Amino acid sequence: MLKYSNSEMMAIAAGRLIKDGDIVFAGTGVSMLAATVAKRIYAPRAVIFFETGGIDPALDEIPMAVADLRVMSGTALNSGLIEAFSTVGHRKLRTVAFLGAAQVDQYGNLNTTCIGDYHRPQKRFSGSGGGNDVASLATGVITFMQHEKRRLVEKLDYMTSVGWYRGGNSRQELGLKRGGAVAVVTNLGLLHFHEETKEMYLAEYFPGVTVEQVQENTGFALDVSNAKEAAPPTAEELAILREEVDPQGLICQPPE
Amino acid sequence: MTGCSEIAERLFSLDQAVEEFIFDGCQLAIGGFTVTRNPMALVYTIIRRGIKDLHLVCHSNGQGMDILVGAGCVKRLEIAYGGNGRYAPTCIRFRRAVETGKLEFEDYSNYQMALRFLAGSLSIPFIPSRTGLGSDLMELEGFSPEVRSEEKVASRKYARIDNPFSAEKEEVPLLPALNPDVALIHAQYVGEDGTVRIKGLTFADLEQAKAADKVIVTFEELVPRSFIRQDPDQNSLASFFVDAYVKVPYGSHPTACFNYYDYDPAHLNLYRHMAEDDGRFQEYLGEWVYGVESHEEYLRKVGIDMLLKIKASPGIGYAPGLDRK
């Protein structure tokens, strides 16, 4: 039996969602690993791209921020923010974006701004950055977060980035022509969205996790009727993640 | 290189440049992004000289924004992102200032702030946006009506129009342009003719510089006219946009500068530790900002060992193998 950590499972589960030829808009942390694992195993023609404007960097080392020098080294092209956003929203491209968030609701809307009142919050976070833009412009968004009741909530304290808005066709009605939430990857499993209602449901729970555990840690009623256990990481996936993608162990530490 | 540079009259010291162009209450834009190419030497000089009540307009200026806020120089902040990557997912003094009500602030997104600078650079009063629809960015204003009536503050955060060129109804958000009083940029090269060359990603630096009334450029290296004109496609900003130049090697430390040096992980970790406590943060400022008289003295404190460790490898642009934990 292979041993692996939670963050390794998350990176690999998200990596499996990338399709060959996708333009992958990566953030930092686990999402960067997911993008790199995907490119090296499932989607060799995927192009990794950063909000700050670096297209297809060499990524011989893991960037610690989206403006890290490592996102502008060995690239096909470097540019500024305006050009970068013209790529994210480009009508000819299928762009998949990875985002993190403090809160997500059942329609995949995200909060990265604050807990409590906006003007005088109990807890302030970094804010939108390019999050709102990517969620508005990309073909799809995959979100990473820890699976906790206070994070998967019925109502966000602040709606920083729009997913399926209020469900159904409400996103299109706002004037957001394409995109929407594709999946949420947590430390417990993989959540998808119903095609018509756009409500979140449990698609896969990770090995060792129970459906009840997922429900207990979710702040709204979650459809689990189609949930199945996720395939554990393969030896190949783990080897590439540990030896090629993050050999310094900066983001994912293998289990003790 | 000749002794009589074409920009001799615009070459300043850090103190002279801040004295001449930055005033209490001015609207300021700073270049760079999170842990890269923040104009830190100018930022430290602003803090040391006790500049107050700044109206800072930012997209994602992590380190420079956070220390200006922490040192009490900023009254008003328009911002998209207050984070420093893995070194501070939310900038700590920024978080503290917002949570304790010490700051007037308003949130936009990165694309929107970049568009606002672009609009300012083109001398157009506002610009449409493709993002923001449905979000609280558009629902909640940060500034009070009193702040709205002040100079350099837009009368509202957003406006909405129905696309006037389409028969079908299509709501489009509009963003107010920005024309800061001053923009501070750190670049790798300045030619003797004053041409500025930024290597690596340029973020919104060029839009900020062209939108601002006054521009101060700090730079790593002054290079001959023949060098900067050999490959003009590489250049970023023409001389006539710049009001003051200051030569400051390592001028963006502890943030990174492509092809010159990486970020300083030890210093960013030290900063995070010191910023977590009000008392310790004052100690940090005392030791690293108020307690040094020049950028050279600051670099002596950083130490030659670290400066060599973060030195960028040519062709790669960063310091491979650097311990970044």
Side-chain angles (χ1 to χ4, degrees):
Chain A
M1 182 75 176
L2 286 167
K3 282 190 156 183
Y4 53 88
S5 68
N6 250 325
S7 48
E8 288 178 326
M9 180 74 235
M10 287 172 77
I12 289 165
R16 291 170 180 164
L17 298 172
I18 302 302
K19 298 192 174 66
D20 207 14
D22 281 356
I23 311 293
V24 185
F25 178 104
T28 51
V30 179
S31 80
M32 236 287 312
L33 300 187
T36 316
V37 166
K39 186 168 166 63
R40 301 212 184 191
I41 305 177
Y42 318 105
R45 285 177 301 151
V47 179
I48 298 176
F49 159 80
F50 287 86
E51 160 196 339
T52 42
I55 296 177
D56 201 16
L59 296 178
D60 293 325
E61 291 190 3
I62 293 283
M64 300 288 259
V66 295
D68 194 308
L69 301 183
R70 287 153 191 78
V71 312
M72 48 187 106
S73 179
T75 51
L77 186 91
N78 283 339
S79 72
L81 295 183
I82 303 261
E83 295 93 325
F85 283 113
S86 74
T87 303
V88 181
H90 203 282
R91 65 198 175 280
K92 282 165 64 179
L93 304 176
R94 199 188 121 82
T95 53
V96 179
F98 285 118
L99 296 174
Q103 288 181 327
V104 62
D105 68 15
Q106 59 194 323
Y107 297 115
N109 303 303
L110 306 176
N111 174 12
T112 56
T113 302
C114 61
I115 299 294
D117 173 61
Y118 169 62
H119 298 92
R120 189 70 184 271
Q122 283 158 267
K123 195 152 191 182
R124 170 70 205 208
F125 303 114
S126 53
S128 163
N132 175 285
D133 309 314
V134 168
S136 301
L137 298 169
T139 322
V141 169
I142 298 168
T143 303
F144 282 93
M145 58 171 25
Q146 291 297 306
H147 207 129
E148 297 169 25
K149 233 181 177 129
R150 59 181 185 140
R151 292 179 179 273
L152 285 87
V153 296
E154 191 138 3
K155 186 169 176 6
L156 303 176
D157 288 51
Y158 184 100
M159 194 188 295
T160 315
S161 302
V162 174
W164 294 116
Y165 196 50
R166 288 169 188 154
N169 290 327
S170 60
R171 177 184 169 93
Q172 279 72 20
E173 285 162 8
L174 278 176
L176 297 171
K177 307 281 184 219
R178 69 171 193 180
V182 172
V184 177
V185 182
T186 75
N187 51 316
L188 299 183
L190 183 62
L191 302 144
H192 281 196
F193 296 86
H194 279 291
E195 215 154 286
E196 281 179 16
T197 65
K198 308 300 185 193
E199 276 171 27
M200 191 188 287
Y201 67 91
L202 181 65
E204 295 182 5
Y205 48 93
F206 293 152
V209 174
T210 63
V211 170
E212 292 71 37
Q213 207 181 332
V214 173
Q215 283 173 312
E216 277 165 26
N217 286 289
T218 305
F220 48 83
L222 191 65
D223 177 4
V224 298
S225 58
N226 288 310
K228 59 179 183 14
E229 187 172 280
T234 65
E236 187 204 7
E237 287 169 330
L238 283 174
I240 287 181
L241 179 59
R242 290 173 188 169
E243 286 155 34
E244 294 180 25
V245 177
D246 187 16
Q248 292 170 293
L250 291 172
I251 292 166
C252 271
Q253 282 79 39
E256 300 285 311
Chain B
M1 199 179 306
T2 64
C4 53
S5 152
E6 293 167 52
I7 57 168
E9 286 176 358
R10 283 179 284 161
L11 276 173
F12 286 70
S13 70
L14 287 165
D15 274 303
Q16 287 168 340
V18 172
E19 163 91 42
E20 179 78 20
F21 295 106
I22 298 181
F23 51 93
D24 288 352
C26 75
Q27 192 184 74
L28 183 70
I30 61 179
F33 197 107
T34 61
V35 294
T36 293
R37 246 176 2 76
N38 282 220
M40 295 306 296
L42 280 168
V43 163
Y44 294 142
T45 308
I46 287 171
I47 298 171
R48 215 175 282 133
R49 296 186 66 88
I51 301 287
K52 296 189 303 287
D53 299 331
L54 290 172
H55 177 175
L56 195 58
V57 284
C58 286
H59 46 88
S60 296
N61 306 106
Q63 189 68 10
M65 177 280 296
D66 197 56
I67 194 167
L68 281 172
V69 168
C73 302
V74 179
K75 179 181 184 190
R76 190 169 294 156
L77 179 65
E78 295 181 51
I79 190 167
Y81 185 82
N84 241 358
R86 304 284 285 176
Y87 295 99
T90 303
C91 285
I92 296 161
R93 301 314 303 180
F94 158 73
R95 159 182 277 176
R96 187 68 52 90
V98 170
E99 289 172 0
T100 55
K102 298 231 167 64
L103 205 56
E104 298 166 5
F105 66 95
E106 191 151 86
D107 280 82
Y108 286 92
S109 70
N110 274 346
Y111 162 92
Q112 293 173 345
M113 289 304 287
L115 284 179
R116 296 180 66 198
F117 288 119
L118 176 67
S121 75
L122 295 169
S123 304
I124 54 181
F126 55 83
I127 191 162
S129 165
R130 251 291 163 224
T131 74
L133 290 165
S135 74
D136 281 336
L137 290 177
M138 291 191 63
E139 295 304 319
L140 293 172
E141 299 224 343
F143 293 156
S144 66
E146 296 76 59
V147 172
R148 291 260 168 243
S149 63
E150 290 198 25
E151 212 186 333
K152 292 264 179 192
V153 180
S155 62
R156 59 212 275 200
K157 189 177 177 189
Y158 291 90
R160 300 156 198 259
I161 51 160
D162 186 17
N163 178 355
F165 301 102
S166 166
E168 281 171 39
K169 191 170 159 43
E170 183 189 21
E171 187 183 69
V172 182
L174 300 178
L175 303 163
L178 277 168
N179 286 108
D181 292 309
V182 191
L184 313 179
I185 306 293
H186 186 71
Q188 283 87 346
Y189 302 108
V190 165
E192 281 181 310
D193 63 350
T195 305
V196 178
R197 179 179 295 179
I198 294 174
K199 298 297 291 174
L201 300 177
T202 51
F203 311 119
D205 285 27
L206 309 179
E207 289 81 10
Q208 288 177 324
K210 291 177 201 167
D213 291 343
K214 301 288 179 188
V215 178
I216 308 176
V217 173
T218 56
F219 58 93
E220 295 290 327
E221 209 139 27
L222 185 65
V223 295
R225 185 188 171 91
S226 56
F227 177 91
I228 208 90
R229 295 199 171 212
Q230 198 171 27
D231 196 358
D233 296 358
Q234 294 274 319
N235 295 339
S236 311
L237 198 64
S239 169
F240 47 65
F241 285 114
V242 182
D243 297 276
Y245 297 95
V246 191
K247 183 176 177 183
V248 194
Y250 287 96
S252 63
H253 180 277
T255 68
C257 186
F258 191 72
N259 271 353
Y260 276 80
Y261 44 92
D262 221 315
Y263 44 78
D264 178 342
H267 199 97
L268 292 174
N269 284 327
L270 169 78
Y271 180 87
R272 176 177 54 195
H273 171 70
M274 300 302 271
E276 276 164 2
D277 176 85
D278 292 354
R280 281 207 302 270
F281 185 68
Q282 289 309 316
E283 275 173 48
Y284 174 89
L285 289 178
E287 184 177 347
W288 289 92
V289 183
Y290 298 119
V292 293
E293 286 192 353
S294 64
H295 200 64
E296 289 74 13
E297 196 184 334
Y298 168 88
L299 293 176
R300 275 195 291 277
K301 275 182 70 61
V302 173
I304 189 73
D305 291 355
M306 182 51 79
L307 295 182
L308 290 174
K309 275 185 197 159
I310 62 175
K311 188 176 181 302
S313 179
I316 297 177
Y318 59 86
L322 177 66
D323 180 2
R324 294 182 291 137
K325 281 187 181 166

